[in-house]
Amino acid sequence: MSGGPLVVLVGPMGVGKSTVGQLLAERLGTVFRDTDEDIVTARGRSIAEIFVDEGEPVFRELEKEAVRTALGEHDGVLALGGGAVLDADTRALLAGHRVVYLSMDVEEAVRRTGLNVARPLLAVNPRKQWRELMEARRHLYEEVATAVVATDGRTPEEVTQAALDAVELKEA
């Protein structure tokens, strides 16, 4: 495995990619990067605003470019937005990388995301919409993953340790 991130985290919104990613980076003595944050910084607007004002297709293009850039230049821990795996080119770019899919069940997802308006894809009936999103995405997360780590009922520290164990990386 040469170049690119040490670990890439994928999974649904609210699963804890940013929290676990920051912990992983600390434990590995490296830096954390989140492609959603890259987009927010570049556009000067929240993801919810981009979705509302410009539409999902525009956001997905921005996301695809952000992932491509980050995979090419970042060598630490990288978290991707929940929908990044929808793009076939992005999935192809993830081949050969250590990708950890952080999974959770619907009850845990609802508990974590609630009715958060900052999550535009869950604005109405979050439980039903989350289930539908996961039905569409689960196989894609699994396709790109080199390891799957369940987050249900685990602390961020426990998930971080499980991710380290799963990809057999040693702490710095």
Side-chain angles (χ1 to χ4, degrees), residues 60 74 101 105 140 161:
R60 294 296 172 207
H74 185 67
Y101 162 32
D105 69 23
L140 300 175
Q161 187 58 54

Side-chain angles (χ1 to χ4, degrees), residues 35-55:
T35 57
D36 279 353
E37 289 303 316
D38 290 351
I39 295 166
V40 169
T41 300
R43 300 296 280 218
R45 307 165 64 207
S46 73
I47 289 170
E49 289 171 322
I50 295 168
F51 257 84
V52 170
D53 297 342
E54 300 178 57

Side-chain angles (χ1 to χ4, degrees), residues 9-18 34-37 39 47 51 56 59-60 63 67 79-87 90-91 94 101-102 104 119 121 130 133-134 136-138 140-142 144:
L9 299 176
V10 299
M13 60 189 91
V15 76
K17 294 181 298 285
S18 295
D34 181 328
T35 57
D36 279 353
E37 289 303 316
I39 295 166
I47 289 170
F51 257 84
E56 185 173 357
F59 173 75
R60 294 296 172 207
E63 181 174 57
V67 171
L80 305 189
V85 297
L86 293 171
D87 183 76
T90 296
R91 291 194 306 275
L94 289 170
Y101 162 32
L102 299 180
M104 67 180 168
R119 307 220 184 252
L121 292 179
W130 192 87
L133 280 175
M134 283 308 296
R137 296 177 181 179
R138 182 175 289 108
L140 300 175
Y141 293 135
E142 291 169 350
V144 300

Side-chain angles (χ1 to χ4, degrees), residues 112-172:
R112 291 187 194 184
T113 59
L115 296 168
N116 189 341
V117 294
R119 307 220 184 252
L121 292 179
L122 295 182
V124 182
N125 194 347
R127 182 174 274 114
K128 177 177 181 280
Q129 288 182 294
W130 192 87
R131 271 197 189 99
E132 289 172 0
L133 280 175
M134 283 308 296
E135 284 170 18
R137 296 177 181 179
R138 182 175 289 108
H139 71 285
L140 300 175
Y141 293 135
E142 291 169 350
E143 175 187 318
V144 300
T146 51
V148 179
V149 174
T151 64
D152 305 279
R154 286 175 151 173
T155 66
E157 292 76 16
E158 290 168 334
V159 173
T160 300
Q161 187 58 54
L164 282 170
D165 294 344
V167 294
E168 299 177 345
L169 283 172
K170 302 294 176 238
E171 293 180 53

